[in-house]
Amino acid sequence: MSTGRFSRARNVLGCAATVAVLAAGCGAGEVEDSAEVPSRIAEAAARADQEGLSVVVPGTLAASYTELAADVDGQLGMAIMPVGGEQPVTFGEWTRGPAWSTMKVPLAIAAARQSSGSSSYAMSAAITASDNAAADTLWQSLGGSRKAAQAVEAVLREGGDSSTTVPATGSRSGYSAYGQADWSLVDQVRFASRLPCLPQSEGVTTSMGQVVPRQRWGLAGFGSVEFKGGWGPDTDGDYLVRQFGIITVPSGQIAISVAAKPDSGTFDDGMNMLDDLTEVVSEHLDELSGGRCTGA
């Protein structure tokens, strides 16, 4: 079995008050007082800055995640934050790796800005069907490898990702350069939290809500979601499977980034792990507070 176990309740769910798991979004809105919150939660939060302390309150998303991570054969990772928020909440032991086709989202935005008319079909195919040939067309439309890498990286910076580097050429032949970018869950969820707010992103996010049926797994399990998946093998042939997107809830929108690396190395097992993870999050959506673009 996996030893993920929520990375010992990683960062105590990312902020001191998250024993209530993103109550009011960890900075995206005011925390509401509630007489129903047990005193033990407040006591646990007060001790949350003690080194090595793990706080997993029964019945919360943290507890359910811990149970799932202990029961899967492989590594899981997840990051969540409200749209327009500032503080991501992280889960699990998997934290970073190749972007694979999830990088097609900022690529499509960069290409749409360059020439919206000529790249609209390729943009749709690259996002809805993860079409590699269409994505390569977008990449070439940006003026060659170096200019393309710079354009995609500029979109990431605009979206709040201050550190991810997009390579002009890949280190592994047969795979796209942009797909080999090392994209952490935290940087990816920050970008997702700004994605709906970026100029000329609407066409891309609309396509993220129209993913073809054969790729509607994992985050597709949410009732209202715009998402993009990416997957690929490492040099040993073992698959990493990841997705990121935006969930719409009554209080606004929630950015989410997830990844699975099954011990078996198979794509199917990674896909099933993300199906299970989505089910767990779905059961706790009422604990998560959405947000909106500034001024929206």
Side-chain angles (χ1 to χ4, degrees):
M1 293 298 177
S2 169
T3 58
R5 292 189 177 276
F6 182 47
S7 257
R8 301 297 183 265
R10 186 179 181 85
N11 293 331
V12 194
L13 294 185
C15 49
T18 41
V19 281
V21 187
L22 276 182
C26 291
E30 296 180 358
V31 178
E32 297 180 0
D33 293 331
S34 173
E36 297 178 1
V37 178
S39 61
R40 69 178 183 277
I41 296 180
E43 293 169 0
R47 300 194 306 271
D49 60 350
Q50 295 181 21
E51 183 177 358
L53 179 65
S54 297
V55 179
V56 180
V57 177
T60 64
L61 173 57
S64 294
Y65 180 92
T66 302
E67 183 178 358
L68 172 65
D71 198 42
V72 299
D73 295 317
Q75 298 179 15
L76 277 173
M78 178 168 66
I80 303 176
M81 67 186 297
V83 166
E86 296 296 332
Q87 178 63 49
V89 176
T90 58
F91 300 73
E93 62 182 350
W94 195 95
T95 60
R96 64 186 313 123
W100 295 119
S101 288
T102 61
M103 192 59 75
K104 290 174 181 173
V105 172
L107 168 60
I109 294 174
R113 292 174 175 179
Q114 179 83 359
S115 178
S116 58
S118 62
S119 63
S120 58
Y121 172 79
M123 181 274 289
S124 177
I127 300 299
T128 63
S130 204
D131 187 292
N132 290 328
D136 288 343
T137 297
L138 300 181
W139 182 257
Q140 293 304 319
S141 75
L142 294 171
S145 296
R146 180 171 295 181
K147 288 183 178 179
Q150 291 172 344
V152 176
E153 201 169 295
V155 174
L156 293 178
R157 297 294 179 269
E158 188 179 346
D161 179 350
S162 62
S163 60
T164 301
T165 300
V166 180
T169 57
S171 58
R172 295 177 61 190
S173 62
Y175 299 98
S176 65
Y178 56 83
Q180 295 179 56
D182 183 62
W183 205 2
S184 73
L185 290 177
V186 167
D187 285 334
Q188 189 174 66
V189 82
R190 282 201 182 101
F191 174 76
S193 76
R194 300 295 187 269
L195 176 58
C197 319
L198 297 181
Q200 294 178 262
S201 65
E202 184 176 359
V204 176
T205 56
T206 296
S207 292
M208 290 169 69
Q210 299 171 345
V211 171
V212 296
R214 68 179 180 275
Q215 294 179 17
R216 296 194 63 82
W217 38 264
L219 297 184
F222 292 109
S224 180
V225 64
E226 297 162 336
F227 72 99
K228 180 71 187 79
W231 54 92
D234 61 19
T235 54
D236 294 323
D238 294 333
Y239 269 77
L240 167 68
V241 184
R242 59 187 303 177
Q243 295 175 314
F244 81 103
I246 304 159
I247 310 164
T248 298
V249 295
S251 59
Q253 293 181 303
I254 300 167
I256 183 169
S257 180
V258 296
K261 200 168 193 315
D263 290 342
S264 68
T266 68
F267 167 77
D268 284 348
D269 283 348
M271 179 179 65
N272 291 335
M273 288 167 69
L274 293 189
D275 282 341
D276 292 342
L277 180 54
T278 296
E279 183 177 352
V280 165
V281 177
S282 295
E283 293 170 353
H284 295 276
L285 277 182
D286 59 345
E287 298 174 28
L288 309 179
S289 179
R292 294 177 175 83
C293 297
T294 302

